[in-house]
Amino acid sequence: MTDDTRSDVLVSIGELARSTGLPVRTIRFYCDEGILESQRSTGGHRMFDADSAAERLLLVRRLRALGLGLDSITGVLQGERSMADAIAAESARLDIEFRSLAWRRASLRAMETVAPAQRAQRLALLAAAQDGGAVHDCLIRFWRRILAPIPRCDSDRWVCWNVPEPPADPSVDEVVAYAELAALVAEPDMTSIVRQQYWRDRPELIRDPRALYISMDNVMVDVVPLVAKDVRPHAGTELDRFVNAHAEARGERDSPRSREQLLIDATDSDHRIHRYWALTERFLGPRVTIGRAHDWLYNALAHSTDLTDAQPPNQRSLP
């Protein structure tokens, strides 16, 4: 028999099992799942093309050895997706699984290293942040609430720049810090506190939130280098633009009163805000956070207002 006629040879399921080393029940299962084609003999028994069935089963075995699921394998065999796509998808799935396992490992080690007196508190903290990806999504939703009603197409760049990604292989300190970020944004009044810091007093008077958001973004771009160089907060162009942006958004002009209004019920010094940005800096490295830029402007404004109040009325317009 030549190689050209070999493909016409039909074998029984038992013969196919012996030639491939697979159990009969496994081959039968593959048939039932549509992975392997068979014919019926006159006696009703399953018969298989010797070469094509063996090659197909070998491919299935090799793909299974890589961890691919039957759905992915079926898609490859039926031409619905390429082998490269199937392998890439499985690799991506494993990346997610490994990150989840790394997070769990760090959490367990965080419990092992904590003092007994703090164990219950840490357990509650970590139990509420079981997955880094879920925490990241929580932080994203938090900042979208803060920036509402700014459209996501405008605010997502800001959010992505200032919300740290969860570490792929976190240390004990990192998993605890990231979990604490989740705990902070989950506090009942945290949203209102941070909104007050961002939008300041009388947000209902803001006529165009998007325009104010863009103006504030431009101011922050220029404040960040000052913070990076440890320039002390001071009156000047950056502060004037900050005040003007808020004043114009409310149909007003820069004045001592408008500056005082920006300090009414200010939440900039709230310890939770400072803690949030301190934790964030652990993940962003040397990058200056928007929190530090806001703090710089707040201190510059508070200092400027104090100086204005201390000056005689005929000198208040002087720098």
Side-chain angles (χ1 to χ4, degrees):
M1 184 173 294
T2 65
D3 291 339
D4 292 336
T5 59
R6 175 63 180 167
S7 61
D8 295 330
V9 174
L10 297 179
V11 295
S12 67
I13 193 169
E15 292 174 302
L16 184 60
R18 286 190 293 273
S19 66
T20 59
L22 290 172
V24 169
R25 65 177 180 277
T26 300
I27 297 176
R28 187 178 294 116
F29 172 75
Y30 287 157
C31 289
D32 294 340
E33 292 295 314
I35 293 176
L36 188 64
E37 296 179 353
S38 65
Q39 304 176 30
R40 291 289 180 175
S41 68
T42 54
H45 299 291
R46 283 179 170 144
M47 303 296 292
F48 303 85
D49 182 279
D51 284 352
S52 63
E55 290 175 2
R56 199 173 185 89
L57 288 174
L58 179 61
L59 177 58
V60 171
R61 174 183 283 181
R62 288 172 174 171
L63 292 176
R64 289 290 286 167
L66 291 178
L68 270 67
L70 289 179
D71 288 342
S72 295
I73 293 173
T74 301
V76 171
L77 294 176
Q78 294 180 352
E80 297 173 355
R81 64 189 311 184
S82 69
M83 187 183 302
D85 288 342
I87 291 174
E90 179 63 17
S91 179
R93 187 192 69 80
L94 283 177
D95 286 342
I96 295 173
E97 184 175 335
F98 283 143
R99 284 196 295 268
S100 178
L101 290 173
W103 185 273
R104 289 175 56 193
R105 180 184 60 191
S107 297
L108 291 171
R109 289 176 177 172
M111 289 302 303
E112 292 173 347
T113 57
V114 71
Q118 300 173 340
R119 191 165 292 157
Q121 180 181 3
R122 178 163 290 185
L123 178 60
L125 178 70
L126 296 175
Q130 299 179 25
D131 177 78
V135 173
H136 183 259
D137 291 343
C138 175
L139 298 177
I140 293 291
R141 290 193 299 270
F142 172 78
W143 282 107
R144 283 175 177 164
R145 290 196 301 271
I146 298 300
L147 296 175
I150 303 302
R152 285 177 53 178
C153 59
D154 291 323
S155 64
D156 273 359
R157 180 180 62 86
W158 186 98
V159 171
C160 292
W161 179 254
N162 290 285
V163 176
E165 293 281 346
D169 188 11
S171 66
V172 167
D173 290 341
E174 286 175 333
V175 79
V176 172
Y178 211 70
E180 190 177 342
L181 284 174
L184 282 170
V185 301
E187 291 194 15
D189 56 348
M190 189 64 170
T191 297
S192 61
I193 288 172
V194 178
R195 279 187 63 85
Q196 175 73 10
Q197 182 197 29
Y198 190 88
W199 297 107
R200 316 307 298 183
D201 184 55
R202 303 171 298 150
E204 70 280 359
L205 299 182
I206 298 174
R207 297 178 296 184
D208 188 347
R210 183 175 180 274
L212 176 58
Y213 167 80
I214 293 173
S215 296
M216 288 295 298
D217 186 54
N218 291 332
V219 172
M220 295 300 170
V221 168
D222 292 336
V223 169
V224 164
L226 299 178
V227 177
K229 296 176 182 177
D230 290 326
V231 176
R232 295 185 63 180
H234 60 270
T237 302
E238 295 81 17
L239 178 60
D240 291 344
R241 288 165 57 202
F242 172 79
V243 174
N244 277 323
H246 277 282
E248 291 177 1
R250 293 165 172 82
E252 301 172 356
R253 298 180 63 184
D254 183 359
S255 67
R257 177 166 177 76
S258 68
R259 295 190 174 218
E260 291 172 0
Q261 287 282 353
L262 291 177
L263 294 173
I264 293 177
D265 296 326
T267 58
D268 301 76
S269 59
D270 191 286
H271 69 94
R272 287 164 293 187
I273 291 179
H274 285 273
R275 181 60 178 167
Y276 178 91
W277 289 112
L279 290 169
T280 298
E281 287 178 0
R282 296 189 183 187
F283 302 99
L284 296 183
R287 184 191 309 175
V288 175
T289 65
I290 199 71
R292 290 179 62 191
H294 264 291
D295 198 48
W296 192 96
L297 285 166
Y298 168 74
N299 287 318
L301 176 63
H303 182 63
S304 171
T305 303
D306 289 343
L307 289 179
T308 300
D309 290 342
Q311 290 174 339
N314 62 346
Q315 295 182 11
R316 287 186 179 181
S317 59
L318 298 177

